[in-house]
Amino acid sequence: MERVIGIISANYETHDLGCLTQERTIASLPYGGRYRLIDFPLSNMVNSGISTVGLITPYKYRSVIDHIGAGKEWQLDRKNGGLFILPGSLFGVTSSEARFMIRDLKHNLIYLKRSMADYVILTASDVVYNMDYRDLLAQHISSGADITMLYSEAVEDAPHDLGLTLDGERVTSFLHGTKKGENIFRGCFVISRELLMNIISWYSSVDFMDIFEAIEPELGKMNVRVFRFGGYIRTVDSIRDYYIHSMELLRSDVRKELFTPLHPIMTKVQDSVPSKYIEGCCVRNSMIPAGCVIRGTVENSILFRGVKVEEGAVVRNSVLMQSCLVEAGAVVENAILDRKNVIKAGTVVKGSPENVFVMEKKTL
Amino acid sequence: MKEKEILAMLLAGGQGSRLGALTKTIAKPAVSFGGKYRIIDFSLSNCANSHIDTVGVLTQYRPYLLNSYIGTGSAWGLDASNGGVSILPPYATESGGEWYQGTADAIYRNLNYINLYDPKYVLILSGDHLYRMNYREMLKCHKENNADLTISVMKVPMEEASRFGIMTTDETGRIVKFSEKPKQPDSDLASMGIYIFNKDVLEKALIEDSTDSSSEHDFGKNIIPKLLAEGKRLFCYEFSGFWMDVGTISSFHETSMGLLEEEPEFDLDDRDFPIFSNENISPPHYIGPEAEIQESIVGNGSEILGKVIHSVISVDSYVGTGALVKDSVLLPGAAVEEGATVNRAILGENSVIRAGAVFGSEDPKEDIAVIGDDFIVEKGGEA
């Protein structure tokens, strides 16, 4: 897709992720045992043949830049095109909740101006899916739309997400908040580079708006259409979402679709050793990356690199991020442990499926 | 071009024919080991961890996988702008072309490459050994001895000494005698095939050797005896860590099983001296609801639904429901289908044991069972 460039927006936040995004952005939230959320849109772009990608950085950009570097793992360390860091605008000390802030695009207009591409695909960085954007583009071109938005039916209520009212494939209005079964915008759209630059200039004086907020009154005139994604797709914007969708990765159909070797989700490589299972351990229905050592029991859980579960310890229905240590005899149930937590010997850490226990990242 | 203190020449052209089915389509340095590595990762990582940023890799036997695996060398941090990794296959000149005739001949024919960087010292390595070594320590020893050639050695049991190239030294560590596979060894210091030469000494010896029609152009057989006879300063550098030339199927199996110890002699996990590899990016592995796994290591991308006991499960492998894998090594992409049984076996890359098939024997008197890359064992079929 030489005629397309990408933009990934990472300069926004949601308060419902609580301490998980205290020191990092949504884009760099660890997910699925070895990934960060941004790996999904970024890999989708590259797997769709897009070799020029701009990343609108968030205010707290350290963790995301640390992860992506020069884009080597995504083959974006290129002479022609490649990864472009597009500084996001500041809003006091926090970011806005708007995913596609016009000001962020305006400040990086030169990225669009210098490009020779006909189309731009823009994505959010909190949606988990594996998709070939070529299908989206093909429909966009054949339908003659001004903008084509990616959607699917919401699997549960999403109070913060944009819903779409449709007449056929045409978007007639936006809903602020989406209920289960309604059409939910999945944070990805395609637009011609020229129209995108026009929209930025039209709304340049009110540039603190999200692009969809800006065009909402124009829906009658603009040809805004949709592309339905029928595969597995989830938006992660609350702790509850994070937990439920993480657990869905234990389903074989979800893993097979999300991690198909045909379009692999790429991520920063850490050179960890293969994981080790010591005699006496008991591991069932769990997803475990390299670098773990398991002596105890692990059931229905997702571990990250470097997690150690000692003898007699039990980890159940939980997500344990990088370098957590569960000491001998400790119990962790229905919990999310952020990085480097140590659960002392004999301690019990328990949440319920409805109210998951979350332990924030330990600082060095 | 800026002068280099030292560069490495990595001999990776050997077939490793005693590894049989495992090296049928790939060179020995490209054989997978330890769940996610290839054997050459160890010497390349040693170079990287020793801050040697210029490495010539000499290839000859079935080099395709090796070439594509090494790529730019970036996986080992060896994609330096002045230096980096260079693949050095045999090449033709105006007088024709020939295969490398021996280890010394391979280096001789790449003297141009070495001289491009004008190093003071040349480190010569084998790409098919498993060990962790800081070559800078060896270089320090080489300089302190004011040596012409330093040979890395390790102590071996006296009864096994006749299998190795044995160095006899005086009290200062200077080599006074070298015997290739001696019947009556008088020392237990075995050569590990790791040499540091002063470049000038190496160049002169190789040029002279190249015109000697009786020479086999081999470092052990020809170059070392020649330099000893000339009275050059040859010293030993004694290494005491783990070192293994996995030359045979049984030593490959045994060394792999050694990784499963709680405190293995060869610990792959050392953050101060990491082993790098150029792996595919696969998702975490998955252990199924009815799986059982004990005393094993598992790489990314694998799916384990059956029973795995005391085995190495490399990246992207599969063990189906009701299958049993015991005391075995599954190389990357190997699949053991539903209800199959695998005992004391090595399964080549992307090989398949079909549902219900039985492969390998529990009987320790039997040989380790092996199938090569991409082979399929049907139920009732022989390996």
Side-chain angles (χ1 to χ4, degrees), chain A residues 42-183:
Chain A
L42 191 54
S43 301
N44 286 343
M45 293 235 174
V46 172
N47 289 333
S48 305
I50 300 173
S51 55
T52 301
V53 180
L55 170 68
I56 298 175
T57 55
Y59 170 65
K60 290 175 284 191
Y61 59 80
R62 189 205 59 80
S63 57
V64 72
I65 298 294
D66 178 28
H67 182 69
I68 293 183
K72 182 173 129 189
E73 271 90 0
W74 298 265
Q75 301 93 49
L76 288 173
D77 53 340
R78 315 165 54 89
K79 234 174 195 177
N80 247 325
L83 180 71
F84 289 78
I85 301 297
L86 310 177
S89 25
L90 298 182
F91 299 87
V93 289
T94 70
S95 313
S96 133
E97 290 195 27
R99 284 160 153 185
F100 302 104
M101 175 74 66
I102 291 176
R103 182 180 296 184
D104 284 341
L105 297 166
K106 188 175 95 178
H107 285 175
N108 293 290
L109 197 60
I110 197 156
Y111 172 71
L112 294 169
K113 274 190 173 161
R114 279 187 181 161
S115 170
M116 309 280 272
D118 298 321
Y119 300 98
V120 186
I121 291 180
L122 295 93
T123 70
S125 43
D126 55 352
V127 186
V128 173
Y129 61 128
N130 188 328
M131 179 188 173
D132 191 332
Y133 294 139
R134 278 174 278 225
D135 304 335
L136 169 68
L137 181 72
Q139 189 197 297
H140 177 76
I141 294 171
S142 69
S143 73
D146 293 320
I147 294 177
T148 303
M149 301 172 75
L150 187 74
Y151 88 104
S152 70
E153 293 79 33
V155 288
E156 52 196 278
D157 293 357
H160 302 300
D161 281 280
L162 197 64
L164 307 173
T165 312
L166 303 180
D167 175 12
E169 282 179 350
R170 181 89 189 255
V171 179
T172 53
S173 66
F174 294 142
L175 305 167
H176 298 276
T178 314
K179 291 218 158 28
K180 186 175 175 176
E182 289 180 342
N183 303 318

Side-chain angles (χ1 to χ4, degrees), chain B residues 221-345:
Chain B
K221 289 182 189 140
N222 309 105
I223 303 295
I224 297 170
K226 174 179 153 64
L227 292 177
L228 256 186
E230 287 172 10
K232 291 281 193 303
R233 294 177 62 81
L234 274 60
F235 281 81
C236 280
Y237 169 74
E238 201 176 321
F239 177 75
S240 57
F242 178 93
W243 177 87
M244 179 62 79
D245 176 1
V246 282
T248 62
I249 290 292
S250 72
S251 77
F252 183 88
H253 183 261
E254 196 182 319
T255 309
S256 299
M257 294 295 111
L259 300 174
L260 306 176
E261 303 286 324
E262 269 203 68
E263 305 283 338
E265 192 187 351
F266 188 40
D267 194 351
L268 299 173
D269 194 5
D270 182 346
R271 254 157 242 192
D272 296 331
F273 206 102
I275 306 300
F276 304 106
S277 76
N278 190 6
E279 58 174 331
N280 290 331
I281 302 177
S282 295
H285 61 265
Y286 173 74
I287 311 280
E290 285 149 40
E292 185 186 341
I293 181 160
Q294 300 291 338
E295 293 182 88
S296 296
I297 60 173
V298 183
N300 282 327
S302 293
E303 186 166 45
I304 295 176
L305 306 176
K307 193 167 173 178
V308 172
I309 309 291
H310 197 254
S311 294
V312 174
I313 309 294
S314 302
V315 292
D316 301 327
S317 301
Y318 174 75
V319 178
T321 309
L324 168 70
V325 174
K326 193 165 176 244
D327 300 322
S328 296
V329 180
L330 270 58
L331 295 183
V336 178
E337 294 184 348
E338 289 63 30
T341 301
V342 174
N343 252 309
R344 295 179 63 248

Side-chain angles (χ1 to χ4, degrees), chain B residues 114-135:
Chain B
I114 294 173
N115 283 324
L116 192 64
Y117 297 100
D118 195 20
K120 240 179 128 159
Y121 307 103
V122 179
L123 169 68
I124 293 174
L125 305 170
S126 283
D128 51 8
H129 297 162
L130 303 175
Y131 64 114
R132 214 187 235 113
M133 182 173 177
N134 187 344
Y135 302 130

Side-chain angles (χ1 to χ4, degrees), chain A residues 32-35 72-73 250 255-256 259 265-267 269 271-281 283-290 295, chain B residues 34-37 74 259-262 264 268-269 275-277 279 281-289 291 293-298 300 303:
Chain A
R34 75 173 297 190
Y35 303 95
K72 182 173 129 189
E73 271 90 0
L250 297 175
R255 277 198 322 277
K256 294 226 149 71
F259 301 120
I265 303 300
M266 292 161 274
T267 189
V269 171
D271 289 287
S272 301
V273 296
S275 279
K276 198 159 200 174
Y277 295 87
I278 309 292
E279 190 171 13
C281 73
V283 183
R284 298 263 157 94
N285 192 36
S286 294
M287 206 171 163
I288 300 176
R295 290 182 161 81
Chain B
K36 66 175 278 193
Y37 306 95
S74 72
L259 300 174
L260 306 176
E261 303 286 324
E262 269 203 68
L268 299 173
D269 194 5
I275 306 300
F276 304 106
S277 76
E279 58 174 331
I281 302 177
S282 295
H285 61 265
Y286 173 74
I287 311 280
I293 181 160
Q294 300 291 338
E295 293 182 88
S296 296
I297 60 173
V298 183
N300 282 327
E303 186 166 45

